[in-house]
Amino acid sequence: MLVPFDRSFCSRNALEYAFEQFPDATVTALFVKSPLFEAYETIESEDDLDDIIAEDEAVDDETDNVFGMARRIADQNERTVETATAEGDPSRGILGWLDENDVDHVVIGCHGRDGVARWVLGSVAETVVRRAPVPVTAIK
């Protein structure tokens, strides 16, 4: 069972749902990190490099925070959670992870956008629902 997780309200609900509805499943919380590769191409000075290193450390701190919250939710549900990361655009990171790992089901939080906002902003959950090779449950 894969649960894309970013500490948002909807991803917390998705993790809770996965624990409640799939009591025998191994649950993996996946955090998709934004890559810093583009930033490395713009280095012009040592100050630029220091800024990139600081940003990279901030991403690592956020990853620790995300997984800490996932573990607390698991503890509250008397379960364990595996953790994993991917890099890049969230929907591509999730779909890529699915291609490379054995997953039977995805439980993903959605923000519940509708109308024009859904079309303009796009939706990670919608993309995953449409393209995932396994069943997907979307949770508000």
Side-chain angles (χ1 to χ4, degrees), residues 20-86:
E20 292 169 5
Q21 298 299 313
F22 303 95
D24 297 325
T26 299
V27 177
T28 300
L30 176 69
F31 178 57
V32 182
K33 303 188 290 185
S34 298
L36 297 176
F37 302 123
E38 299 86 14
Y40 284 106
E41 294 176 3
T42 64
I43 295 175
E44 294 181 5
S45 71
E46 194 170 315
D47 289 339
D48 290 343
L49 181 58
D50 290 342
D51 291 344
I52 291 169
I53 291 169
E55 186 175 337
D56 197 29
E57 290 171 355
V59 170
D60 289 343
D61 289 345
E62 177 62 10
T63 302
D64 291 344
N65 292 336
V66 166
F67 291 153
M69 179 177 276
R71 287 185 192 100
R72 285 190 296 279
I73 293 170
D75 289 346
Q76 292 168 354
N77 287 275
E78 297 178 356
R79 298 283 300 275
T80 59
V81 63
E82 295 180 2
T83 57
T85 59

Side-chain angles (χ1 to χ4, degrees), residues 83-129:
T83 57
T85 59
E87 287 194 8
D89 169 76
S91 55
R92 287 186 182 152
I94 295 163
L95 293 169
W97 203 89
L98 287 172
D99 286 342
E100 297 173 8
N101 294 276
D102 186 26
V103 175
D104 296 324
H105 195 109
V106 176
V107 177
I108 189 168
C110 61
H111 294 289
R113 293 185 187 112
D114 56 23
V116 175
R118 187 178 87 193
W119 297 109
V120 173
L121 299 174
S123 170
V124 172
E126 183 175 356
T127 300
V128 171
V129 166

